[in-house]
Amino acid sequence: MATSTSSNQAEGKMGNHEPTPLEKHVMFFDINNDGIIYPSETYQGFRKMGRGIFRSMFAAVLIHITLSHKTRPGKCPSLLFPIVVENIKYAIHGSDSGAYDSEGRFVPDKFEEIFKKHANQNADSLTYNEVKELLKANSEPKDYYGRANAFVDWKSLYDLGNKDGILTKETVKAVYDGSLFDQKAEEHASK
């Protein structure tokens, strides 16, 4: 059985600790497995999943401009905009589902709550309108940064993972446990 990229990386540069689900979520983009993700690696990751050149470039720039400084606490800003995988927990934003706790661990109850509260047409999937409802319900007052990030996260997930206009519970779980990006890259490679 082939080992996924994220699994190999989990054994790589993470030191002596077991990577959290949030760390596994971003490890797909650590192409050279050094624990630091640069914009070029994020671009390559999006391309591996079949995203277009412009969308991949835009995503890499946006992600690194917004997250780099948060994952490098106490360090001077870097014009290379690196994201430090083991510090990704510092980039958790407000106005989201809470399915990751403040340490980047998966919170099953919060994950289930997404579908209990917002999956109205089918208990195991979300339509685009239900995703919008989720975003509105989780929106914290005056948290413009968190709301913008939550919107981009969920819109990107919906664009990447929807099948026939719905986002399945299985797909949402795969993004939280870090396996969705590997799945999408394998699907794209097999085409």
Side-chain angles (χ1 to χ4, degrees), residues 33 75 156:
N33 194 23
K75 297 194 176 184
S156 298

Short mmCIF file of all heavy atoms in Angstrom, two decimals, residues 33 75 156:
data_model
loop_
_atom_site.label_atom_id
_atom_site.label_comp_id
_atom_site.label_asym_id
_atom_site.label_seq_id
_atom_site.Cartn_x
_atom_site.Cartn_y
_atom_site.Cartn_z
N ASN A 33 9.62 18.64 2.65
CA ASN A 33 9.58 17.99 3.95
C ASN A 33 10.58 18.57 4.95
O ASN A 33 11.20 17.83 5.71
CB ASN A 33 9.81 16.47 3.77
CG ASN A 33 9.46 15.68 5.01
OD1 ASN A 33 8.68 16.13 5.84
ND2 ASN A 33 10.05 14.53 5.15
N LYS A 75 9.81 36.61 15.51
CA LYS A 75 10.86 36.74 14.50
C LYS A 75 10.54 37.92 13.60
O LYS A 75 9.40 38.31 13.41
CB LYS A 75 10.96 35.48 13.66
CG LYS A 75 11.37 34.28 14.50
CD LYS A 75 11.80 33.15 13.64
CE LYS A 75 12.27 32.06 14.59
NZ LYS A 75 12.79 30.93 14.03
N SER A 156 -13.12 27.73 -0.75
CA SER A 156 -12.09 26.90 -1.39
C SER A 156 -12.41 25.43 -1.21
O SER A 156 -12.29 24.63 -2.16
CB SER A 156 -10.71 27.19 -0.81
OG SER A 156 -10.36 28.53 -1.05
#
